[in-house]
Amino acid sequence: TLEEQEQADGDLEHAIALIRKYDTLEDSLKEARGYAERARDDLAIAPAHPIRDTLADLASFSVDRAY
């Protein structure tokens, strides 16, 4: 288990099956995109600055990346 920091054969496959069964990946991505959008909105009130733009780009990248 995660608590005990032990892995057994088949754990990964079991986790993937649960993720697919309950469609948790899509739900998690949707929630993450909402947080990223909120972060960009909150950053928009800050004065224009390269660091602000970098943080906004980072928020987008973290949910738009393909890996």
Side-chain angles (χ1 to χ4, degrees):
T1 64
L2 289 175
E3 256 178 36
E4 297 165 356
Q5 297 181 348
E6 294 179 9
Q7 282 186 305
D9 289 342
D11 283 353
L12 178 59
E13 292 78 11
H14 181 67
I16 291 170
L18 290 172
I19 288 168
R20 289 183 176 148
K21 179 178 180 179
Y22 295 105
D23 201 25
T24 57
L25 183 60
E26 188 57 40
D27 292 343
S28 297
L29 286 172
K30 184 178 178 181
E31 188 167 347
R33 287 181 183 119
Y35 281 118
E37 182 178 353
R38 180 175 164 197
R40 289 188 300 270
D41 290 346
D42 290 346
L43 285 166
I45 64 171
H49 191 277
I51 293 174
R52 181 197 72 180
D53 297 340
T54 299
L55 289 170
D57 290 346
L58 179 60
S60 296
F61 173 78
S62 66
V63 293
D64 293 339
R65 62 192 176 130
Y67 54 90

